Amino acid sequence: MNSKRFYNWLNISSKNFNKGINFGYKSIKLSKNSYWHPLLSDYFLGIRHNVSVFNTKQTLKCLLRAFHVIAVILKQKGRLLIINTNPEFWRLCNNLTHITLLGQYKSKHLELDSHLVKQNRVSKNYQNLRTPLLSYVNYKWIGGTLTNWKQVSKSVLTFAKFSERCEKFLIQNRVDFPRYTKVKKCFNGLLYKNNRKMVLAFNQKPDLIFLINPNENQAVLNEAYRLHIPVIAFMESSLNPKGITYPIPVNNYSIKFIYYCLKKIVKITQI
């Protein structure tokens, strides 16, 4: 796919960018942070009403470059690890985990389209979106997940065995198990359903990391730097871009924009 067709396929227009993504960090007098980081000065238009404003052309350029890198890696059957620890986006990433890893959509509010009336037909479409190339961390980053993967993978497999044996019992008897709930949120995105068995989404280090909130996950950047794993991340205006291979200057609290990016990543896997 050439660059022009790829640009049209992404369908990026001014409407997509009219979602408040160009607003940066608002500095407070008592805060130690400035309006923007000096290394990000090329990505800004200026300051208005004490809020730094991104240059959307630079954001578009960085976004196209990031999607191109993702498309190349996934085309070569590489592994992409999506990391989000912001609780506001947990439900969005959790639904994406169930669709791409388990082939099912779990939601309390299931809205059917007019041409997809029957639920079994909807689930069949979700089965086509299953792919082992994507894995997720949606709740909390456990230190050493990348650098100490051999040990962490044992814990993930232990959780998978316990879940297969006891999850139905816990649900049927309504047993409150807070520890299990927390571990499930941490490890659920690292497992892939294959022939009705849960296996590890990746056995080696991922080829690329997509980080939604790098300001809260400096440990991820440190581990990726040690293992020489490229990182794509949404950059706030006051964040140091050191350690991020492909920064995307954007307001990373815009849920519509994050939904758009995650949806395009899933579509890239189907190319």
Side-chain angles (χ1 to χ4, degrees), residues 72-99:
V72 171
I73 289 181
L74 293 181
K75 186 177 181 180
Q76 299 176 356
K77 304 300 180 182
R79 306 283 180 166
L80 174 63
L81 177 61
I82 301 175
I83 302 175
N84 166 62
T85 58
N86 190 340
E88 295 181 2
F89 308 140
W90 178 82
R91 179 173 296 179
L92 175 64
C93 295
N94 187 51
N95 290 337
L96 193 66
T97 302
H98 283 91
I99 291 174

Side-chain angles (χ1 to χ4, degrees), residues 1 27 109 117 127 223 265:
M1 184 180 292
S27 181
H109 307 285
V117 180
Q127 286 290 336
E223 293 185 29
I265 291 176

Side-chain angles (χ1 to χ4, degrees), residues 98-105 120-131 192-193 270:
H98 283 91
I99 291 174
T100 57
L101 296 182
L102 304 178
Q104 52 184 304
Y105 179 61
N120 57 359
R121 188 177 176 184
V122 177
S123 61
K124 184 178 180 180
N125 289 348
Y126 288 140
Q127 286 290 336
N128 296 332
L129 296 177
R130 290 177 67 247
T131 173
Y192 176 73
K193 192 173 183 180
Q270 306 300 316

Side-chain angles (χ1 to χ4, degrees), residues 30 188-189:
L30 299 179
N188 200 29

Side-chain angles (χ1 to χ4, degrees), residues 239-261:
L239 189 63
N240 187 352
K242 183 179 179 181
I244 299 177
T245 315
Y246 304 101
I248 303 176
V250 70
N251 177 14
N252 59 358
Y253 291 99
S254 175
I255 189 170
K256 292 183 179 180
F257 180 75
I258 292 176
Y259 170 76
Y260 165 81
C261 292

Side-chain angles (χ1 to χ4, degrees), residues 228-244:
H228 305 285
I229 302 175
V231 178
I232 297 175
F234 294 140
M235 295 290 300
E236 281 188 344
S237 58
S238 60
L239 189 63
N240 187 352
K242 183 179 179 181
I244 299 177

